[in-house]
Amino acid sequence: MKQFYGVTLKTPLMLGTAQYPSPAILADAFKTSCASVATVSLRRESGRDKSGQGFWSIIRNLDVHILPNTAGCYTVKEAVTTAHMAREIFDTKWIKLEVIGHTDTLQPNVFGLVEAAKILTQDGFEVFPYTTEDLVVADKLLDAGCQVLMPWGAPIGSGQGLNNLQGLRSLRAHFPDIPLVVDAGIGLPSHAAHAMELGYDAVLLNTAVAKAGNPVEMAHAMALAVEAGQAAAIADPMEPRDMAAPSTPVIGKAFLT
Amino acid sequence: MKINVNGKPQELKSGSLSDTLAELGYGDAKIATAVNAEFIPAALRDTYALTEGDELEILAPMQGG
C-alpha cells in the first residue's frame, strides 16, 4: 500500500465526521468502518457553548489520523488562512485542500487550488487536494508539491458514484506511483469497491454513511467494500470481452444428440 | 472598545487578544484565531493588541467531510 506523506494507513477508508444523527452514532460508525482517517473542519465557536470542544474529545478517542479540511472556502486566501488555523488546532501538517468553484456542484476551482497548494506546500503543509480527474491539473498539483491527489467521483453529497470512469482510469494509469483517493460522490459500497478495483489507494466518503438509515451498518458495509475492492485490484482482474467464452471445457463433452 | 466577534458586535475591555479571549469565556478551549482575516497564532495572543472595529474570528474543531 502506498504511503500518504510517509504514513501507511491501516485501511484504505477515510471517513467524514459530519451529519451523523448523534455523536454516539458517529463514534460507533467509525468503529465498524475501521476507517483510518477522519476528516474534520473548523467553524465559529461561542465562548458560552464551546460545542467544538465536546466534538474534539470524541474525535481524539477514535484512534485515527486527523485530516482537517478547508470546506466552504471559495478563495485562495480563505483556504490558506483556514489551513493555518487548522494546523494550529489539530497539530497536523495534513490539510484536505478545498477551494470551491461553484455553489451548485461544489466542484473545485482548480486554478485557485493549484495556487493555494503551492503556497501551503511552501509553508510546510502536506496537501491532500480535492480536485477533478483532469490530468493537466493533476500535473500542476504535483508540480506545486502535492504528493497525493484526490479526484472527485461525483459532486459532494450526491451519492452518484464514479461519474467519469475513463477519467479516473486515465489518472491511475498516468500516475502509477502517486497515492490516489476518490473523494466525494460515493453513495454505495459498490461505488467504493469500484474505486478500489480501479487501483485507487483509498476512498474518502461521508454522506453515504452519515445519511444512511443505519449509519453504523453502512459503515461496516463500506469497510467490507474497500477491503474487497483492494483485494480485487491486487488479484489483477480479468479483462472484459465482448463475446461469450465457455468456462466449462468443451473437449470431452458427450455426443448426446 | 467595540469589536466584532464571529460577526457579532461586542463591547469589550481593551487589551491583548489573550485578555479578550478570557473575557469572552474561552478559558483553555481548543481554538484558533484570526483578526481582520489574518491568522494570529496562539503564541502571539499575549502581545497582540486588538483595536476598535477589529473583526475577530474564533474557530474550533467541528464536524467535516
Side-chain angles (χ1 to χ4, degrees):
Chain A
M1 194 172 176
K2 292 188 191 73
Q3 292 193 321
F4 295 78
Y5 292 102
V7 173
T8 303
L9 300 180
K10 283 190 290 188
T11 68
L13 183 59
M14 303 181 177
L15 189 58
T17 55
Q19 306 185 86
Y20 291 83
S22 72
I25 292 176
L26 182 157
D28 286 347
F30 263 83
K31 277 179 205 144
T32 56
S33 74
C34 303
S36 53
V37 174
T39 55
V40 294
S41 180
L42 288 179
R43 287 294 179 266
R44 285 172 167 175
E45 175 90 321
S46 147
R48 196 170 300 161
D49 303 338
K50 298 200 188 81
S51 57
Q53 309 306 309
F55 168 70
W56 176 238
S57 71
I58 293 168
I59 299 303
R60 223 175 17 189
N61 291 325
L62 292 178
D63 190 28
V64 291
H65 296 280
I66 302 297
L67 179 57
N69 70 27
T70 62
C73 291
Y74 279 78
T75 67
V76 172
K77 179 169 171 35
E78 258 187 306
V80 168
T81 303
T82 302
H84 278 277
M85 296 175 87
R87 180 164 67 178
E88 182 172 271
I89 283 197
F90 297 110
D91 195 24
T92 177
K93 291 188 278 187
W94 283 14
I95 190 76
K96 179 189 167 188
L97 182 60
E98 297 184 31
V99 182
I100 301 297
H102 199 282
T103 50
D104 289 339
T105 59
L106 297 180
Q107 69 190 87
N109 169 350
V110 294
F111 306 99
L113 182 69
V114 171
E115 193 182 335
K118 199 174 292 178
I119 293 167
L120 290 171
T121 300
Q122 284 169 358
D123 282 344
F125 283 86
E126 294 173 343
V127 177
F128 292 64
Y130 162 63
T131 185
T132 66
E133 64 280 10
D134 189 293
L135 283 178
V136 179
V137 173
D139 256 332
K140 299 286 182 195
L141 287 167
L142 297 177
D143 288 347
C146 296
Q147 295 175 26
V148 174
L149 296 171
M150 301 212 299
W152 64 347
I156 294 170
S158 70
Q160 293 173 13
L162 310 183
N163 275 353
N164 182 357
L165 273 179
Q166 174 52 33
L168 292 172
R169 273 202 196 99
S170 180
L171 206 60
R172 180 70 288 172
H174 276 78
F175 303 107
D177 301 323
I178 301 295
L180 297 180
V181 183
V182 168
D183 172 16
I186 301 286
L188 291 167
S190 55
H191 302 153
H194 200 174
M196 296 304 297
E197 287 165 8
L198 295 178
Y200 274 66
D201 299 289
V203 296
L204 197 168
L205 56 95
N206 186 159
T207 312
V209 167
K211 288 299 196 185
N214 184 336
V216 179
E217 197 57 42
M218 185 58 82
H220 180 227
M222 289 296 183
L224 297 173
V226 295
E227 188 182 352
Q230 187 178 45
I234 292 167
D236 188 15
M238 65 169 279
E239 288 297 323
R241 45 187 295 162
D242 291 331
M243 302 303 288
S247 48
T248 303
V250 177
I251 297 169
K253 183 181 176 296
F255 287 95
L256 301 174
T257 54
Chain B
M1 175 179 70
K2 190 175 276 184
I3 64 171
N4 286 317
V5 180
N6 287 342
K8 290 182 184 165
Q10 296 217 32
E11 191 65 39
L12 296 158
K13 293 174 199 159
S14 58
S16 70
L17 178 52
S18 290
D19 295 336
T20 300
L21 293 172
E23 187 181 345
L24 289 167
Y26 286 93
D28 58 356
K30 203 167 183 63
I31 52 170
T33 51
V35 178
N36 302 328
E38 298 295 334
F39 169 56
I40 308 297
L44 298 183
R45 286 180 199 156
D46 283 346
T47 53
Y48 190 94
L50 290 165
T51 56
E52 180 85 18
D54 275 346
E55 298 279 347
L56 171 60
E57 292 285 341
I58 304 165
L59 305 186
M62 204 57 65
Q63 295 86 345

